[in-house]
Amino acid sequence: MATSLGSNTYNRQNWEDADFPILCQTCLGENPYIRMTKEKYGKECKICARPFTVFRWCPGVRMRFKKTEVCQTCSKLKNVCQTCLLDLEYGLPIQVRDAGLSFKDDMPKSDVNKEYYTQNMEREISNSDGTRPVGMLGKATSTSDMLLKLARTTPYYKRNRPHICSFWVKGECKRGEECPYRHEKPTDPDDPLADQNIKDRYYGINDPVADKLLKRASTMPRLDPPEDKTITTLYVGGLGDTITETDLRNHFYQFGEIRTITVVQRQQCAFIQFATRQAAEVAAEKSFNKLIVNGRRLNVKWGRSQAARGKEKEKDGTTESGIKLEPVPGLPGALPPPPAAEEEASANYFNLPPSGPPAVVNIALPPPPGIAPPPPPGFGPHMFHPMGPPPPFMRAPGPIHYPSQDPQRMGAHAGKHGSP
């Protein structure tokens, strides 16, 4: 190893001498004026074991002193902070970043291979402009929606708090408020976050913080494309009164050819139909939970086919406009199915009772002149009793469903118009 402090200066040619550390905003602190100490070749890097320049500073009031843990070469290889070893762009652990970018950088871990790999990477870093990472990370140019959702956009200064006072936990701290450590109850020792290793963080394996973030990412809502490949319509909700069809077209035209845009102002939603399924999938992926138009966050979902929409409306009792109607109390239910077709009832159009032998047909002769003809059957004055029920053949078959089917409520009562 190149850690000898003897008279041989060949081993010192790869030692690092820097003027300023590579830090994230959280580790640097919120105070723009800080005092930082610099110790040349103060410690060896915890990854490559080569001596490097150590910086030590206090990020703010009531914060603990922090120092650099890895050399700048190891920091540039992974694009991480020299102190917390979190990604400088997203503020996430290396394991989460590599999972979001869908690549894995397998660095050598043995001493000889590690030193050879580091020397080659240093040569590549010296030939680059220093604005982009090198190695496998520099080749991964695509971004991930998961990283954008999990990324920390503001500094998290709570991470710089002092450690817990062990004497206070045992009840033996006599400093009181002057104690530079925290007087708080420690976390559960069985908590996975209580056991973190800097090498596991750097190599992206067995990191409890990364496991916690990946579990959170797996439970985040996502928009899966429907199985029906003919669906090319997206539903956009929450438009309000200020968003017009032109605003929607200006955003969605970048994903592909738009066939139609239908804005339903009453429901404050719109339906955007693309010409191809691929354009609709790209628009849904790029706009789900990220679409903001005119300062208003919009909800993007997949449209539904006409068959599925009709089945859901029948099941839920909704109308064409999407309003669910509650059943009105007091109305009759659905009519019963018609009776089974029988041979005898096939010609019974008036619901007459079944009869035995066929009746003898009497042909009535015309009355003699001067005598009034008798009234037709069914219209005589003594046909119904004034207070009695109607004959069986005039009653409605089965239960009464509507008031119009009740013979007792049809027209005027017989007692009022009967003959004296």
Side-chain angles (χ1 to χ4, degrees):
M1 299 301 295
T3 58
S4 174
L5 293 177
S7 59
N8 187 4
T9 59
Y10 176 78
N11 293 333
R12 303 185 190 181
Q13 63 180 355
N14 293 327
W15 292 6
E16 181 184 282
D17 184 11
D19 295 329
F20 198 82
I22 301 176
L23 302 174
C24 62
Q25 184 64 32
T26 301
C27 294
L28 194 58
E30 56 184 341
N31 186 7
Y33 305 101
I34 60 175
R35 183 169 54 186
M36 185 178 297
T37 62
K38 171 184 174 182
E39 185 180 2
K40 193 173 182 180
Y41 312 141
K43 285 184 176 295
E44 67 177 18
C45 176
K46 295 186 177 180
I47 303 300
C48 63
R50 297 187 305 172
F52 71 105
T53 303
V54 178
F55 296 89
R56 188 174 181 269
W57 72 99
C58 182
V61 183
R62 301 293 298 177
M63 300 292 179
R64 72 176 187 271
F65 276 83
K66 309 192 76 174
K67 62 183 179 64
T68 53
E69 305 291 345
V70 298
C71 64
Q72 291 194 4
T73 301
C74 296
S75 173
K76 293 176 182 178
L77 288 179
K78 294 285 190 176
N79 193 33
V80 295
C81 172
Q82 283 188 263
T83 301
C84 63
L85 270 69
L86 296 180
D87 186 76
L88 294 174
E89 183 178 358
Y90 301 104
L92 298 173
I94 297 176
Q95 185 175 348
V96 178
R97 183 199 64 190
D98 294 351
L101 298 178
S102 302
F103 83 96
K104 186 173 181 59
D105 189 6
D106 294 327
M107 294 181 58
K109 298 179 176 59
S110 63
D111 295 340
V112 178
N113 293 336
K114 189 191 308 180
E115 188 171 356
Y116 176 75
Y117 178 81
T118 305
Q119 291 178 1
N120 292 336
M121 289 296 104
E122 279 186 340
R123 190 181 303 110
E124 186 175 348
I125 291 173
S126 61
N127 296 332
S128 63
D129 55 356
T131 58
R132 293 184 56 84
V134 297
M136 292 290 296
L137 183 59
K139 300 177 183 178
T141 57
S142 61
T143 59
S144 173
D145 293 336
M146 182 190 73
L147 297 180
L148 296 177
K149 295 176 182 179
L150 295 178
R152 185 176 294 277
T153 57
T154 57
Y156 185 64
Y157 297 121
K158 188 178 178 180
R159 201 169 62 213
N160 299 332
R161 294 183 303 169
H163 295 293
I164 295 177
C165 180
S166 59
F167 286 89
W168 182 85
V169 175
K170 295 182 292 185
E172 299 177 359
C173 183
K174 300 180 181 179
R175 295 185 179 183
E177 296 181 355
E178 297 180 356
C179 183
Y181 299 96
R182 282 188 296 153
H183 288 183
E184 296 180 6
K185 184 179 179 181
T187 58
D188 187 7
D190 297 333
D191 187 5
L193 298 178
D195 186 14
Q196 300 184 28
N197 191 348
I198 189 171
K199 289 189 176 182
D200 291 343
R201 170 72 57 81
Y202 185 81
Y203 290 115
I205 55 174
N206 301 328
D207 189 356
V209 179
D211 294 339
K212 179 181 178 180
L213 292 175
L214 291 176
K215 289 180 181 179
R216 183 191 303 175
S218 61
T219 58
M220 295 177 66
R222 58 182 182 180
L223 187 62
D224 296 329
E227 296 180 358
D228 189 359
K229 298 297 182 180
T230 61
I231 299 178
T232 60
T233 304
L234 296 182
Y235 165 85
V236 182
L239 297 182
D241 300 331
T242 59
I243 300 177
T244 61
E245 178 182 346
T246 305
D247 298 331
L248 296 175
R249 189 178 295 274
N250 291 339
H251 172 76
F252 284 98
Y253 84 96
Q254 59 182 324
F255 304 116
E257 181 183 355
I258 298 176
R259 182 170 297 172
T260 58
I261 295 181
T262 305
V263 178
V264 185
Q265 196 64 35
R266 182 179 179 183
Q267 303 297 330
Q268 295 186 354
C269 65
F271 296 92
I272 303 174
Q273 184 180 12
F274 288 87
T276 60
R277 173 59 179 262
Q278 182 179 3
E281 291 181 358
V282 174
E285 181 182 359
K286 299 294 183 182
S287 304
F288 180 66
N289 276 354
K290 298 187 292 291
L291 180 56
I292 299 178
V293 179
N294 295 342
R296 190 179 184 91
R297 181 178 292 274
L298 304 183
N299 184 20
V300 179
K301 297 181 180 179
W302 278 97
R304 291 173 293 179
S305 60
Q306 296 293 337
R309 194 181 308 170
K311 291 181 181 179
E312 291 188 3
K313 286 181 180 179
E314 291 180 2
K315 185 183 298 184
D316 301 337
T318 56
T319 61
E320 299 251 351
S321 58
I323 303 175
K324 186 174 183 179
L325 301 178
E326 297 293 337
V328 179
L331 291 181
L335 291 175
E342 299 178 359
E343 295 181 358
E344 297 180 357
S346 60
N348 190 6
Y349 301 108
F350 300 100
N351 296 328
L352 298 177
S355 58
V360 179
V361 180
N362 295 327
I363 302 176
L365 298 176
I371 300 176
F379 291 92
H382 302 287
M383 188 67 190
F384 299 116
H385 194 274
M387 300 300 294
F393 65 87
M394 291 296 294
R395 296 177 185 173
I400 297 175
H401 299 285
Y402 297 98
S404 60
Q405 292 179 281
D406 189 358
Q408 296 182 358
R409 299 185 60 180
M410 295 178 59
H413 293 286
K416 293 182 181 181
H417 301 280
S419 62

Short mmCIF file of all heavy atoms in Angstrom, two decimals, residues 308-359:
data_model
loop_
_atom_site.label_atom_id
_atom_site.label_comp_id
_atom_site.label_asym_id
_atom_site.label_seq_id
_atom_site.Cartn_x
_atom_site.Cartn_y
_atom_site.Cartn_z
N ALA A 308 -66.55 -1.35 -20.80
CA ALA A 308 -66.29 -1.34 -19.36
C ALA A 308 -67.03 -0.20 -18.68
O ALA A 308 -67.52 -0.34 -17.57
CB ALA A 308 -64.79 -1.23 -19.11
N ARG A 309 -67.15 0.94 -19.36
CA ARG A 309 -67.85 2.08 -18.77
C ARG A 309 -69.34 1.77 -18.60
O ARG A 309 -69.96 2.13 -17.61
CB ARG A 309 -67.65 3.31 -19.64
CG ARG A 309 -68.04 4.61 -18.97
CD ARG A 309 -67.82 5.77 -19.93
NE ARG A 309 -66.50 5.76 -20.48
CZ ARG A 309 -66.11 6.53 -21.47
NH1 ARG A 309 -66.97 7.37 -22.04
NH2 ARG A 309 -64.86 6.48 -21.91
N GLY A 310 -69.92 1.07 -19.61
CA GLY A 310 -71.34 0.74 -19.50
C GLY A 310 -71.61 -0.25 -18.39
O GLY A 310 -72.60 -0.14 -17.67
N LYS A 311 -70.73 -1.24 -18.21
CA LYS A 311 -70.92 -2.20 -17.13
C LYS A 311 -70.83 -1.54 -15.77
O LYS A 311 -71.59 -1.83 -14.85
CB LYS A 311 -69.87 -3.31 -17.24
CG LYS A 311 -70.08 -4.22 -18.44
CD LYS A 311 -69.02 -5.31 -18.49
CE LYS A 311 -69.20 -6.21 -19.70
NZ LYS A 311 -68.17 -7.26 -19.76
N GLU A 312 -69.88 -0.62 -15.60
CA GLU A 312 -69.74 0.04 -14.31
C GLU A 312 -70.94 0.94 -14.03
O GLU A 312 -71.37 1.08 -12.89
CB GLU A 312 -68.45 0.86 -14.29
CG GLU A 312 -67.21 0.00 -14.28
CD GLU A 312 -65.96 0.82 -14.08
OE1 GLU A 312 -66.10 2.04 -13.88
OE2 GLU A 312 -64.86 0.24 -14.12
N LYS A 313 -71.50 1.57 -15.07
CA LYS A 313 -72.67 2.41 -14.85
C LYS A 313 -73.86 1.58 -14.44
O LYS A 313 -74.65 1.98 -13.58
CB LYS A 313 -72.98 3.19 -16.13
CG LYS A 313 -72.01 4.34 -16.39
CD LYS A 313 -72.39 5.08 -17.65
CE LYS A 313 -71.42 6.22 -17.90
NZ LYS A 313 -71.76 6.95 -19.13
N GLU A 314 -74.03 0.40 -15.06
CA GLU A 314 -75.13 -0.46 -14.66
C GLU A 314 -74.96 -0.96 -13.24
O GLU A 314 -75.92 -1.09 -12.49
CB GLU A 314 -75.21 -1.64 -15.62
CG GLU A 314 -75.65 -1.25 -17.03
CD GLU A 314 -75.71 -2.45 -17.94
OE1 GLU A 314 -75.44 -3.56 -17.43
OE2 GLU A 314 -76.00 -2.29 -19.13
N LYS A 315 -73.71 -1.20 -12.85
CA LYS A 315 -73.47 -1.71 -11.50
C LYS A 315 -73.63 -0.61 -10.46
O LYS A 315 -74.20 -0.83 -9.40
CB LYS A 315 -72.07 -2.30 -11.43
CG LYS A 315 -71.75 -2.96 -10.11
CD LYS A 315 -70.32 -3.46 -10.08
CE LYS A 315 -70.08 -4.50 -11.15
NZ LYS A 315 -68.71 -5.05 -11.07
N ASP A 316 -73.13 0.57 -10.74
CA ASP A 316 -73.15 1.65 -9.75
C ASP A 316 -74.39 2.51 -9.85
O ASP A 316 -74.64 3.32 -8.96
CB ASP A 316 -71.91 2.54 -9.90
CG ASP A 316 -70.64 1.75 -9.72
OD1 ASP A 316 -70.72 0.69 -9.07
OD2 ASP A 316 -69.58 2.19 -10.20
N GLY A 317 -75.16 2.43 -10.94
CA GLY A 317 -76.32 3.29 -11.09
C GLY A 317 -75.96 4.73 -11.40
O GLY A 317 -76.61 5.65 -10.90
N THR A 318 -74.95 4.96 -12.21
CA THR A 318 -74.54 6.31 -12.56
C THR A 318 -75.12 6.70 -13.90
O THR A 318 -75.48 5.85 -14.71
CB THR A 318 -73.01 6.42 -12.62
OG1 THR A 318 -72.52 5.44 -13.54
CG2 THR A 318 -72.41 6.17 -11.25
N THR A 319 -75.20 8.01 -14.15
CA THR A 319 -75.73 8.53 -15.40
C THR A 319 -74.61 8.75 -16.38
O THR A 319 -73.44 8.49 -16.10
CB THR A 319 -76.48 9.84 -15.13
OG1 THR A 319 -75.56 10.78 -14.58
CG2 THR A 319 -77.62 9.62 -14.14
N GLU A 320 -74.95 9.30 -17.54
CA GLU A 320 -73.94 9.54 -18.57
C GLU A 320 -72.93 10.59 -18.14
O GLU A 320 -71.78 10.57 -18.53
CB GLU A 320 -74.63 10.00 -19.86
CG GLU A 320 -75.58 8.96 -20.41
CD GLU A 320 -75.05 8.34 -21.66
OE1 GLU A 320 -74.06 8.83 -22.16
OE2 GLU A 320 -75.64 7.35 -22.12
N SER A 321 -73.38 11.56 -17.33
CA SER A 321 -72.46 12.61 -16.88
C SER A 321 -71.61 12.19 -15.70
O SER A 321 -70.81 12.99 -15.22
CB SER A 321 -73.27 13.86 -16.50
OG SER A 321 -74.21 13.55 -15.49
N GLY A 322 -71.79 10.96 -15.21
CA GLY A 322 -70.97 10.49 -14.12
C GLY A 322 -71.55 10.73 -12.75
O GLY A 322 -70.89 10.49 -11.75
N ILE A 323 -72.80 11.21 -12.65
CA ILE A 323 -73.42 11.49 -11.36
C ILE A 323 -74.14 10.23 -10.89
O ILE A 323 -74.93 9.63 -11.62
CB ILE A 323 -74.40 12.66 -11.47
CG1 ILE A 323 -73.68 13.91 -12.01
CG2 ILE A 323 -75.04 12.96 -10.13
CD1 ILE A 323 -74.59 15.07 -12.25
N LYS A 324 -73.87 9.84 -9.67
CA LYS A 324 -74.50 8.66 -9.11
C LYS A 324 -75.82 9.05 -8.48
O LYS A 324 -75.88 9.93 -7.63
CB LYS A 324 -73.59 8.00 -8.07
CG LYS A 324 -74.12 6.68 -7.55
CD LYS A 324 -73.12 6.01 -6.64
CE LYS A 324 -73.63 4.65 -6.17
NZ LYS A 324 -72.66 3.98 -5.30
N LEU A 325 -76.94 8.40 -8.89
CA LEU A 325 -78.27 8.72 -8.42
C LEU A 325 -78.67 7.74 -7.33
O LEU A 325 -78.53 6.52 -7.49
CB LEU A 325 -79.27 8.66 -9.58
CG LEU A 325 -78.99 9.62 -10.75
CD1 LEU A 325 -80.02 9.42 -11.84
CD2 LEU A 325 -78.96 11.05 -10.28
N GLU A 326 -79.20 8.28 -6.24
CA GLU A 326 -79.69 7.44 -5.17
C GLU A 326 -81.11 6.99 -5.49
O GLU A 326 -81.89 7.71 -6.13
CB GLU A 326 -79.67 8.20 -3.84
CG GLU A 326 -78.28 8.63 -3.40
CD GLU A 326 -77.42 7.44 -3.04
OE1 GLU A 326 -77.99 6.38 -2.72
OE2 GLU A 326 -76.18 7.58 -3.10
N PRO A 327 -81.51 5.78 -5.08
CA PRO A 327 -82.89 5.33 -5.34
C PRO A 327 -83.91 6.18 -4.60
O PRO A 327 -83.70 6.57 -3.45
CB PRO A 327 -82.87 3.87 -4.84
CG PRO A 327 -81.73 3.82 -3.88
CD PRO A 327 -80.71 4.79 -4.38
N VAL A 328 -85.04 6.49 -5.28
CA VAL A 328 -86.10 7.30 -4.69
C VAL A 328 -86.99 6.41 -3.85
O VAL A 328 -87.49 5.38 -4.33
CB VAL A 328 -86.92 8.00 -5.79
CG1 VAL A 328 -88.03 8.84 -5.18
CG2 VAL A 328 -86.00 8.86 -6.64
N PRO A 329 -87.21 6.73 -2.59
CA PRO A 329 -88.07 5.87 -1.75
C PRO A 329 -89.53 5.96 -2.19
O PRO A 329 -90.01 7.01 -2.62
CB PRO A 329 -87.85 6.45 -0.35
CG PRO A 329 -87.42 7.86 -0.57
CD PRO A 329 -86.65 7.86 -1.84
N GLY A 330 -90.26 4.85 -2.08
CA GLY A 330 -91.68 4.80 -2.39
C GLY A 330 -92.00 4.32 -3.78
O GLY A 330 -93.16 3.99 -4.07
N LEU A 331 -91.00 4.31 -4.68
CA LEU A 331 -91.28 3.84 -6.03
C LEU A 331 -91.30 2.32 -6.06
O LEU A 331 -90.57 1.66 -5.32
CB LEU A 331 -90.24 4.38 -7.01
CG LEU A 331 -90.28 5.88 -7.29
CD1 LEU A 331 -89.20 6.25 -8.29
CD2 LEU A 331 -91.64 6.29 -7.82
N PRO A 332 -92.14 1.75 -6.93
CA PRO A 332 -92.16 0.28 -7.01
C PRO A 332 -90.88 -0.26 -7.60
O PRO A 332 -90.14 0.44 -8.30
CB PRO A 332 -93.36 -0.01 -7.93
CG PRO A 332 -93.50 1.23 -8.75
CD PRO A 332 -93.12 2.38 -7.84
N GLY A 333 -90.62 -1.50 -7.30
CA GLY A 333 -89.42 -2.13 -7.80
C GLY A 333 -89.59 -2.59 -9.25
O GLY A 333 -90.52 -2.18 -9.97
N ALA A 334 -88.71 -3.45 -9.66
CA ALA A 334 -88.77 -3.94 -11.03
C ALA A 334 -89.96 -4.87 -11.21
O ALA A 334 -90.37 -5.58 -10.28
CB ALA A 334 -87.47 -4.67 -11.37
N LEU A 335 -90.55 -4.84 -12.38
CA LEU A 335 -91.69 -5.70 -12.67
C LEU A 335 -91.25 -7.16 -12.73
O LEU A 335 -90.13 -7.45 -13.15
CB LEU A 335 -92.33 -5.30 -14.00
CG LEU A 335 -93.04 -3.94 -14.01
CD1 LEU A 335 -93.50 -3.64 -15.43
CD2 LEU A 335 -94.21 -3.94 -13.06
N PRO A 336 -92.14 -8.07 -12.32
CA PRO A 336 -91.77 -9.49 -12.38
C PRO A 336 -91.74 -9.95 -13.82
O PRO A 336 -92.33 -9.34 -14.72
CB PRO A 336 -92.89 -10.17 -11.60
CG PRO A 336 -94.06 -9.25 -11.73
CD PRO A 336 -93.48 -7.86 -11.75
N PRO A 337 -91.02 -11.02 -14.10
CA PRO A 337 -90.98 -11.54 -15.47
C PRO A 337 -92.35 -12.04 -15.90
O PRO A 337 -93.17 -12.42 -15.06
CB PRO A 337 -89.95 -12.67 -15.38
CG PRO A 337 -89.95 -13.07 -13.94
CD PRO A 337 -90.22 -11.83 -13.17
N PRO A 338 -92.64 -12.03 -17.18
CA PRO A 338 -93.95 -12.51 -17.66
C PRO A 338 -94.12 -13.99 -17.37
O PRO A 338 -93.15 -14.73 -17.27
CB PRO A 338 -93.91 -12.22 -19.16
CG PRO A 338 -92.46 -12.16 -19.50
CD PRO A 338 -91.78 -11.60 -18.28
N PRO A 339 -95.37 -14.43 -17.20
CA PRO A 339 -95.60 -15.87 -16.92
C PRO A 339 -95.17 -16.73 -18.10
O PRO A 339 -95.07 -16.26 -19.24
CB PRO A 339 -97.10 -15.95 -16.67
CG PRO A 339 -97.67 -14.76 -17.38
CD PRO A 339 -96.63 -13.68 -17.28
N ALA A 340 -94.92 -17.98 -17.77
CA ALA A 340 -94.49 -18.92 -18.82
C ALA A 340 -95.60 -19.10 -19.85
O ALA A 340 -96.78 -19.16 -19.51
CB ALA A 340 -94.12 -20.26 -18.19
N ALA A 341 -95.18 -19.15 -21.08
CA ALA A 341 -96.16 -19.28 -22.18
C ALA A 341 -96.79 -20.67 -22.14
O ALA A 341 -96.09 -21.68 -22.14
CB ALA A 341 -95.47 -19.05 -23.52
N GLU A 342 -98.11 -20.70 -22.06
CA GLU A 342 -98.84 -21.96 -22.05
C GLU A 342 -99.77 -21.99 -23.27
O GLU A 342 -100.14 -20.95 -23.82
CB GLU A 342 -99.65 -22.10 -20.77
CG GLU A 342 -98.77 -22.09 -19.51
CD GLU A 342 -99.62 -22.19 -18.26
OE1 GLU A 342 -100.86 -22.23 -18.40
OE2 GLU A 342 -99.03 -22.22 -17.15
N GLU A 343 -100.16 -23.18 -23.60
CA GLU A 343 -101.03 -23.33 -24.75
C GLU A 343 -102.41 -22.74 -24.49
O GLU A 343 -103.02 -22.13 -25.35
CB GLU A 343 -101.16 -24.81 -25.13
CG GLU A 343 -99.85 -25.42 -25.60
CD GLU A 343 -100.03 -26.87 -25.97
OE1 GLU A 343 -101.16 -27.37 -25.82
OE2 GLU A 343 -99.05 -27.48 -26.41
N GLU A 344 -102.89 -22.92 -23.23
CA GLU A 344 -104.22 -22.42 -22.93
C GLU A 344 -104.22 -20.91 -22.81
O GLU A 344 -105.20 -20.25 -23.15
CB GLU A 344 -104.74 -23.04 -21.63
CG GLU A 344 -104.88 -24.55 -21.71
CD GLU A 344 -105.40 -25.14 -20.42
OE1 GLU A 344 -105.58 -24.37 -19.46
OE2 GLU A 344 -105.59 -26.36 -20.37
N ALA A 345 -103.11 -20.34 -22.25
CA ALA A 345 -103.09 -18.90 -22.03
C ALA A 345 -102.54 -18.15 -23.23
O ALA A 345 -102.37 -16.95 -23.17
CB ALA A 345 -102.23 -18.59 -20.81
N SER A 346 -102.28 -18.84 -24.33
CA SER A 346 -101.72 -18.16 -25.49
C SER A 346 -102.73 -17.20 -26.11
O SER A 346 -102.37 -16.15 -26.62
CB SER A 346 -101.24 -19.18 -26.51
OG SER A 346 -102.35 -19.98 -26.92
N ALA A 347 -104.01 -17.54 -26.06
CA ALA A 347 -105.04 -16.70 -26.67
C ALA A 347 -105.86 -15.97 -25.64
O ALA A 347 -106.89 -15.38 -25.99
CB ALA A 347 -105.94 -17.54 -27.56
N ASN A 348 -105.50 -16.03 -24.36
CA ASN A 348 -106.27 -15.36 -23.30
C ASN A 348 -105.77 -13.93 -23.17
O ASN A 348 -104.95 -13.61 -22.34
CB ASN A 348 -106.10 -16.13 -21.99
CG ASN A 348 -107.06 -15.62 -20.91
OD1 ASN A 348 -107.93 -14.77 -21.17
ND2 ASN A 348 -106.93 -16.16 -19.71
N TYR A 349 -106.29 -13.04 -24.02
CA TYR A 349 -105.81 -11.67 -24.04
C TYR A 349 -106.42 -10.81 -22.94
O TYR A 349 -105.93 -9.73 -22.64
CB TYR A 349 -106.11 -11.02 -25.39
CG TYR A 349 -105.48 -11.75 -26.55
CD1 TYR A 349 -106.25 -12.50 -27.41
CD2 TYR A 349 -104.11 -11.69 -26.75
CE1 TYR A 349 -105.67 -13.18 -28.47
CE2 TYR A 349 -103.52 -12.37 -27.80
CZ TYR A 349 -104.30 -13.12 -28.67
OH TYR A 349 -103.73 -13.78 -29.70
N PHE A 350 -107.54 -11.25 -22.34
CA PHE A 350 -108.25 -10.44 -21.35
C PHE A 350 -108.16 -11.02 -19.95
O PHE A 350 -108.91 -10.63 -19.06
CB PHE A 350 -109.73 -10.30 -21.73
CG PHE A 350 -109.91 -9.63 -23.06
CD1 PHE A 350 -110.17 -10.37 -24.20
CD2 PHE A 350 -109.81 -8.26 -23.17
CE1 PHE A 350 -110.32 -9.76 -25.42
CE2 PHE A 350 -109.97 -7.63 -24.40
CZ PHE A 350 -110.22 -8.38 -25.53
N ASN A 351 -107.25 -11.97 -19.72
CA ASN A 351 -107.05 -12.57 -18.41
C ASN A 351 -108.33 -13.17 -17.85
O ASN A 351 -108.69 -12.99 -16.69
CB ASN A 351 -106.49 -11.53 -17.42
CG ASN A 351 -105.12 -11.06 -17.83
OD1 ASN A 351 -104.36 -11.82 -18.40
ND2 ASN A 351 -104.81 -9.79 -17.53
N LEU A 352 -109.08 -13.85 -18.70
CA LEU A 352 -110.33 -14.47 -18.26
C LEU A 352 -110.04 -15.75 -17.50
O LEU A 352 -109.01 -16.40 -17.75
CB LEU A 352 -111.21 -14.76 -19.47
CG LEU A 352 -111.64 -13.52 -20.28
CD1 LEU A 352 -112.46 -13.95 -21.50
CD2 LEU A 352 -112.47 -12.59 -19.39
N PRO A 353 -110.89 -16.13 -16.54
CA PRO A 353 -110.66 -17.39 -15.81
C PRO A 353 -110.82 -18.58 -16.72
O PRO A 353 -111.55 -18.53 -17.72
CB PRO A 353 -111.73 -17.36 -14.71
CG PRO A 353 -112.81 -16.50 -15.26
CD PRO A 353 -112.12 -15.45 -16.09
N PRO A 354 -110.12 -19.64 -16.40
CA PRO A 354 -110.27 -20.85 -17.25
C PRO A 354 -111.68 -21.40 -17.19
O PRO A 354 -112.31 -21.43 -16.13
CB PRO A 354 -109.24 -21.82 -16.67
CG PRO A 354 -109.05 -21.35 -15.26
CD PRO A 354 -109.23 -19.86 -15.26
N SER A 355 -112.20 -21.81 -18.30
CA SER A 355 -113.58 -22.33 -18.40
C SER A 355 -113.54 -23.81 -18.76
O SER A 355 -112.55 -24.31 -19.29
CB SER A 355 -114.39 -21.54 -19.43
OG SER A 355 -113.74 -21.60 -20.70
N GLY A 356 -114.65 -24.49 -18.47
CA GLY A 356 -114.75 -25.92 -18.77
C GLY A 356 -115.06 -26.17 -20.23
O GLY A 356 -114.31 -25.81 -21.12
N PRO A 357 -116.20 -26.76 -20.48
CA PRO A 357 -116.58 -27.02 -21.88
C PRO A 357 -116.91 -25.71 -22.58
O PRO A 357 -117.28 -24.72 -21.96
CB PRO A 357 -117.81 -27.93 -21.76
CG PRO A 357 -118.35 -27.64 -20.41
CD PRO A 357 -117.18 -27.33 -19.54
N PRO A 358 -116.72 -25.64 -23.83
CA PRO A 358 -117.03 -24.42 -24.56
C PRO A 358 -118.50 -24.07 -24.47
O PRO A 358 -119.38 -24.92 -24.52
CB PRO A 358 -116.61 -24.76 -26.00
CG PRO A 358 -116.63 -26.23 -26.08
CD PRO A 358 -116.26 -26.74 -24.73
N ALA A 359 -118.73 -22.81 -24.24
CA ALA A 359 -120.10 -22.34 -24.08
C ALA A 359 -120.83 -22.37 -25.42
O ALA A 359 -120.23 -22.21 -26.48
CB ALA A 359 -120.11 -20.93 -23.50
#
